[in-house]
Amino acid sequence: MVARRTLLAGVTGAALFGAAPTAHARSRRVLHVRPGDSVQAAVDAVAGSGWTIVVHPGTYRETVNVPAEKVELTIRGASREPRAAVIVHDNANGTPRPDGSGTYGTAGSATFTSAAPGLTVRDLTLANDWLRADHPDITGTQAVAAYVTGDRSYFENVRLLAHQDTLFADTTALDAFDRQYYRHCHIEGDVDFVFGRARAVFDACRLHTLQRDVTFTPKGMVFAPSTARANPYGFLALRSRITSGAEDAAYKIARPWVPTYETTAWPALVVRDTWIGPGIDAVTPYVNMRDAYPWQTMRFREHANSGPGAVVSVPENRPQLTPEDAATHTRRTYLGDWRPYERRP
């Protein structure tokens, strides 16, 4: 329990168990959720597009699933402080389902799931506080905070907290190029904690690696993209910070994920204009997930990064964009005619 409290450090509000599934309507398209209510009940109550759910300060222990038909939905905290309203649960990949139908799997472990196009989430914490130490019998230790697949998914001032596989930024189908935009978000974890197939931009975000009680290194990786080969763009991190609670050089920037169900994947990641702290191994910042898919054959590039974890001492281990190529890896090129970055913060 000590580690779980550490994961949610700074969270305010009392945890609620067995909260009544109600929501309060203040206007035609606004629903208010307060301690004692259920966020999922508010999502279920939404009919049509353009609704806003306002989550008041408190801790809501539940899973939330936003289906595809909940178009243009906004879920936001009542306060601009994302620690004030917390949605948290504790399923893992290997957690048995209550109905005996097997385990949840990685995607099914998510505290927050959305397939809705045009989703906006802001000023909230989404967390999965499942801990390996509490469940030594479970080998499927992925425990997702948010599983997002809908096109035009926008996250602003959101804290995403977990350990392994914190943010599953994916697409609705293998051949879909769904877009996601994360601005001023805090995302933390240890193993592959930003992963998936989406075309996703992380703008002015903090990506924070956790201390992990293991004797080996690397202790984990920040990114594990699984970009479809036909997709010209995968993950783009820009103007961000990569920080660490672990010792120096304990983490890698990324490893490529080529799923067994999509062996044609060609993972793509660009990290640019980003401060990289000493927690990242500057000499060998990339590593293979499987030797059959070496990282050197993937679309991994950097540009104009700074900090001790960005020092280029072995150039072949840190492929860089040319200035001409850098001009094609921007918010505009990744997101196309969708421009959420023009919204006022």
Side-chain angles (χ1 to χ4, degrees), residues 82-285:
R83 291 175 175 80
V86 180
I87 303 170
V88 59
H89 204 66
D90 60 349
N91 287 328
N93 177 337
T95 302
R97 293 180 179 272
D99 62 5
S101 61
T103 60
Y104 281 100
T106 297
S109 73
T111 295
F112 180 88
T113 300
S114 175
L119 173 77
T120 296
V121 180
R122 60 183 307 151
D123 307 328
L124 290 170
T125 293
L126 304 175
N128 189 322
D129 61 359
W130 187 92
L131 292 175
R132 302 179 184 97
D134 291 346
H135 304 276
D137 55 316
I138 291 180
T139 56
T141 58
Q142 300 87 350
V144 177
Y147 173 44
V148 184
T149 60
D151 188 39
R152 296 179 294 106
S153 295
Y154 171 47
F155 287 68
E156 167 95 26
N157 194 32
V158 174
R159 299 170 75 233
L160 294 146
L161 313 180
H163 286 268
Q164 184 172 353
D165 291 10
T166 303
L167 172 61
F168 195 170
D170 212 37
T171 64
T172 51
L174 293 179
D175 58 353
F177 299 163
D178 297 317
R179 297 161 294 176
Q180 301 176 18
Y181 180 62
Y182 300 82
R183 179 165 62 179
H184 297 157
C185 291
H186 173 103
I187 309 168
E188 68 178 45
D190 50 38
V191 179
D192 301 335
F193 64 92
V194 179
F195 73 113
R197 193 173 52 235
R199 183 183 294 190
V201 175
F202 301 89
D203 188 359
C205 291
R206 182 186 181 193
L207 301 144
H208 184 69
T209 64
L210 297 171
Q211 180 58 273
R212 189 176 172 201
D213 188 18
V214 294
T215 58
F216 55 79
T217 57
K219 292 188 172 183
M221 308 81 195
V222 178
F223 295 101
S226 58
T227 322
R229 182 168 293 272
N231 193 343
Y233 303 115
F235 290 168
L236 170 65
L238 76 161
R239 303 187 307 168
S240 293
R241 297 172 64 232
I242 300 177
T243 61
S244 183
E247 64 270 23
D248 291 357
Y251 277 84
K252 306 292 188 181
I253 294 175
R255 63 179 178 175
W257 178 32
V258 179
T260 56
Y261 56 79
E262 192 186 11
T263 57
T264 61
W266 192 18
L269 166 70
V270 169
V271 180
R272 60 172 302 170
D273 306 296
T274 288
W275 185 86
I276 303 175
I280 296 298
D281 179 0
V283 178
T284 55

